[in-house]
Amino acid sequence: MDIPAMATASTSSLAQVQFLQRQAASLLLYQSVLQSEAAIAFLELLQAIRYTDADARGCLQAYGNYFYALAAQNQNWEDYLISQILICENPFSRMAQQRDFSELPPALIAAAQNDLQILQSLYECSTACLSEWVQTVAHLPVSPVVWYQEHNHLSSNITLYLPDWEHWADAVEELAAYYRKFGLGLFAEYRALRWQNGQFVGIPYPDPIKLSTLVGYEWQRDALLKNTEFLLCGETALHVLLYGSRGSGKSSLVKALLNEYGERQLRVLEVGKSDLQDLPKIVEQLRGVPQKFIIFVDDLSFEEDDDAFKALKVVLEGNLTARPQNVVVYATSNRRHLIREYFADRPTPKDHEEIHAWDTMQEKLSFSDRFGLTLTFEPANQQTYLTIIRHLAAQTKINLSPEDLEYQALQWATRHNGRSGRTARQFIDFLKADISLFSTTNIKS
C-alpha cells in the first residue's frame, strides 16, 4: 500500500472508530453490557486506535488485552456481546420479565430499540476488522492474529438469536418475551447459586451428581420428585425437611434435582446457617422472576434464641405478605428436633420461672413440623448398603465377581465409616482408582 492510500485508509478507520465511540456513549439502558472485561478492552482498543502514540506500542498492547479477554472467555466478540445482552439487568429487561409487552411504557421500548441498534453496530465491528485497523495505524507488515471460535448459540435455552434479524431494533418484542421466559442476570446465567455477604453469587461448577446414581431410599426420592414437580408446574409445593442418618444421601438428593430439572428453569440457592436471618429478604428478591427456586439449607440445627430460627419460621409459616409460588425451602438435618434441648431446659416448678414453660418447649420441639413434608432417612442396613454398592459398581463398570465385591465392600464399611450411601460411594471411587492404576501399571510393564 502506498503512502496516500495508507493515509486514506487510516482516515477512514479513524472516522469509523469515532462513530463507534459515539454510539457506545449513547446507550440509554444497556450500559452494563459495556462494563464487562472484554467490552472494556474493546473500548480501550478503540481509544488506542484513535489516539495512536508515536511507536503504536499502546495500540498494540490494547489489542493484546482485547485478544486475551476474548480468549479467557473462549468466545468471539459477537457471541460475547449477545450473551451480555441476554442477561443484562436494566429497567426494560426487569419490567419485561414481569409484564406483557403491551403493558411496557412506550418510552422504555423506544430506549431499548435505540440501544439494540447501537449494539448491532458494535457487534458488526469484528475482531478481524479491528486487527486490520491496528495493522494500518501501527504500519505493520501483517495484521495481528485474530481470535476466532466457531459460533455457538450460548445455551440450549436460547430461542432468540439476534443476528437472525436485519435490524435488531425490530427484535425488541422478541427480546422482551425472552426475558419473560428465561429471566436475566445471574438467574439466567447460573443454575446453582449461593447467598454470600448479602448478595447472590453464581456457582459455575455445581455438583454433577444425578438421580440415577442414588438408590436405597426410593420412596423418599419419589416424594421429593413429586413435590418438585408441583413447584415447576406452578402449584403450591411444600417446604421439605430431610432428616436422618449421616451419609444417607439427603444432600445428594437435593443436588441431583438441579441436574434433573435445570432445563426446566429450576434453580438451587444454597443458604448457610449463618445467613438464615436474611431469608425473608432473599425470598422477596426471588418473587416474580420466571425461575423456580429451591432454597437449600444443609445440616440445619439451632441454638436457643437463634435469630436464624425466627427468620426461617417467618418463611415457613408466612406473614401478612403472600408467599411466592416459585420458592420452597429444602433443608437437611441429622436431628429430628432442630433446636438443641438440654435437660436443664426442662421446666420445673420453681419461683421466677415461666408459668407456661411446657408451651415454650413444645414450640421448640415441634419446629420441624412446620415443614409440610418430612422425609426420614434411616441408617442403611447391610442389604441396603450392598444394593447401593452393586448399583454403583454396575454404573462404574467395575468388573469383579459379586462375592468379591460384597466381601471387599463389607470390609471397607467395617474399617471406615459404617454402612451408608456415602461410604458406598467412597469405596467405589477408591476401587475404581485402584483398578485403573493397577491396569496402567501392568500396561507400562
Side-chain angles (χ1 to χ4, degrees):
M1 183 181 294
D2 56 27
I3 298 299
M6 183 176 291
T8 301
S10 179
T11 302
S12 173
S13 299
L14 292 178
Q16 293 179 63
V17 167
Q18 290 174 2
F19 170 75
L20 291 173
Q21 287 181 312
R22 285 196 302 271
Q23 289 285 87
S26 302
L27 290 171
L28 302 173
L29 297 170
Y30 282 82
Q31 294 96 331
S32 65
V33 168
L34 299 183
Q35 292 169 3
S36 51
E37 184 177 354
I40 291 172
F42 171 84
L43 296 177
E44 289 177 347
L45 177 56
L46 292 181
Q47 186 74 352
I49 293 172
R50 182 176 178 182
Y51 298 105
T52 308
D53 44 19
D55 60 0
R57 191 175 353 179
C59 181
L60 295 172
Q61 187 175 30
Y63 183 82
N65 293 339
Y66 172 68
F67 185 99
Y68 183 92
L70 292 179
Q73 293 290 331
N74 197 30
Q75 282 186 307
N76 295 333
W77 165 248
E78 295 86 348
D79 289 335
Y80 182 80
L81 193 66
I82 291 172
S83 68
Q84 295 301 308
I85 293 171
L86 294 179
I87 65 173
C88 179
E89 292 193 58
N90 61 60
F92 171 74
S93 62
R94 282 194 291 267
M95 195 173 292
Q97 183 180 238
Q98 298 183 2
R99 298 189 190 179
D100 289 330
F101 184 76
S102 59
E103 298 175 355
L104 301 180
L108 205 57
I109 295 174
Q113 290 174 318
N114 169 81
D115 286 8
L116 288 174
Q117 204 64 50
I118 289 171
L119 292 167
Q120 184 176 9
S121 67
L122 300 180
Y123 172 93
E124 291 168 351
C125 180
S126 66
T127 304
C129 181
L130 289 170
S131 176
E132 291 176 4
W133 290 351
V134 170
Q135 178 188 10
T136 300
V137 300
H139 308 294
L140 299 176
V142 295
S143 59
V145 175
V146 174
W147 170 261
Y148 179 76
Q149 281 283 80
E150 289 295 328
H151 285 285
N152 66 76
H153 284 212
L154 311 172
S155 165
S156 58
N157 285 341
I158 302 299
T159 57
L160 170 69
Y161 193 52
L162 288 171
D164 292 340
W165 295 77
E166 183 178 357
H167 301 291
W168 287 14
D170 297 336
V172 65
E173 186 171 356
E174 294 288 336
L175 183 59
Y178 174 87
Y179 289 139
R180 189 169 186 189
K181 183 175 182 181
F182 296 113
L184 50 115
L186 287 174
F187 301 148
E189 191 173 2
Y190 296 99
R191 295 180 180 181
L193 305 100
R194 66 169 53 92
W195 181 259
Q196 186 173 310
N197 298 324
Q199 62 183 2
F200 298 108
V201 177
I203 300 175
Y205 304 107
D207 192 326
I209 190 165
K210 296 184 180 299
L211 287 173
S212 59
T213 65
L214 303 175
V215 296
Y217 296 91
E218 279 72 20
W219 77 263
Q220 294 91 331
R221 180 199 63 197
D222 293 344
L224 196 64
L225 288 177
K226 179 179 287 189
N227 193 65
T228 306
E229 285 283 355
F230 293 159
L231 173 69
L232 295 172
C233 294
E235 301 294 335
T236 301
L238 301 175
H239 301 300
V240 182
L241 173 65
L242 302 88
Y243 91 92
S245 176
R246 59 187 176 88
S248 56
K250 304 182 295 296
S251 301
S252 296
L253 185 55
V254 177
K255 295 173 185 176
L257 294 174
L258 187 62
N259 300 306
E260 182 78 11
Y261 296 117
E263 294 291 338
R264 292 174 59 183
Q265 296 298 295
L266 180 69
R267 301 291 181 263
V268 173
L269 172 63
E270 185 179 53
V271 179
K273 180 179 175 297
S274 61
D275 292 316
L276 283 180
Q277 67 271 13
D278 293 339
L279 214 49
K281 179 171 68 173
I282 293 170
V283 170
E284 284 308 306
Q285 292 189 44
L286 302 180
R287 184 187 299 275
V289 303
Q291 289 86 2
K292 312 297 184 181
F293 291 88
I294 293 172
I295 295 179
F296 176 44
V297 185
D298 200 17
D299 196 19
L300 182 63
S301 65
F302 299 109
E303 301 294 338
E304 188 175 5
D305 297 326
D306 197 326
D307 289 338
F309 163 76
K310 300 170 185 175
L312 182 56
K313 182 180 175 183
V314 167
V315 172
L316 296 180
E317 294 189 334
N319 50 23
L320 286 176
T321 305
R323 171 192 163 186
Q325 289 290 97
N326 65 328
V327 180
V328 292
V329 175
Y330 286 3
T332 70
S333 179
N334 296 333
R335 302 169 55 88
R336 176 64 177 87
H337 298 300
L338 298 177
I339 303 177
R340 295 183 187 278
E341 180 204 2
Y342 302 94
F343 282 108
D345 296 333
R346 301 265 173 158
T348 54
K350 297 179 180 178
D351 294 338
H352 310 297
E353 291 199 357
E354 184 181 354
I355 296 176
H356 301 292
W358 274 112
D359 291 344
T360 301
M361 173 160 292
Q362 289 304 310
E363 169 79 2
K364 292 179 180 181
L365 296 180
S366 66
F367 180 70
S368 57
D369 297 337
R370 289 171 169 81
F371 289 87
L373 179 62
T374 299
L375 303 177
T376 305
F377 290 72
E378 300 291 345
N381 57 29
Q382 181 166 305
Q383 180 180 350
T384 300
Y385 173 68
L386 291 178
T387 298
I388 297 171
I389 289 290
R390 287 190 290 267
H391 180 78
L392 294 177
Q395 287 195 327
T396 315
K397 296 182 171 58
I398 290 177
N399 189 20
L400 283 180
S401 68
E403 296 78 12
D404 194 16
L405 179 68
E406 292 182 7
Y407 175 78
Q408 291 192 43
L410 292 173
Q411 289 293 310
W412 180 275
T414 301
R415 295 169 182 165
H416 293 82
N417 300 314
R419 296 187 297 261
S420 71
R422 180 184 299 155
T423 302
R425 167 56 66 187
Q426 292 168 345
F427 168 69
I428 292 296
D429 287 343
F430 176 85
L431 192 58
K432 178 183 176 184
D434 190 43
I435 292 173
S436 176
L437 181 62
F438 179 76
S439 301
T440 304
T441 303
N442 282 348
I443 291 173
K444 289 182 179 179
S445 301

